[in-house]
Amino acid sequence: MILLATVIAELVGILLAWLIHKITARYFPSLHAILRSIDEVSRHPELLKSPR
C-alpha cells in the first residue's frame, strides 16, 4: 500500500513538473529561459565557478 502511494506521488510530481514546464514555455518565455538556465547550472555546477 505504501509502495502504491509512493508511485502515485512520484507520478503526480512528474506530471506537475511537466505542466509547469509547458505553461512557462507557452505563456512566459522569459521565465522559461530563466528556469532553463537554472536547470543547466544545476546540471553543470562548474559554470558557477568564476575564472581566476
Side-chain angles (χ1 to χ4, degrees):
M1 191 68 171
I2 292 174
L3 180 62
L4 179 63
T6 304
V7 169
I8 291 172
E10 288 290 330
L11 290 175
V12 167
I14 291 170
L15 179 64
L16 282 175
W18 176 81
L19 187 62
I20 290 169
H21 173 80
K22 290 296 181 184
I23 289 172
T24 58
R26 173 84 170 120
Y27 298 107
F28 306 103
S30 59
L31 176 62
H32 184 72
I34 292 170
L35 293 175
R36 202 168 355 136
S37 66
I38 290 172
D39 183 48
E40 187 69 27
V41 168
S42 70
R43 291 182 188 180
H44 304 286
E46 66 273 2
L47 295 175
L48 286 175
K49 295 179 183 171
S50 61
R52 294 184 184 200

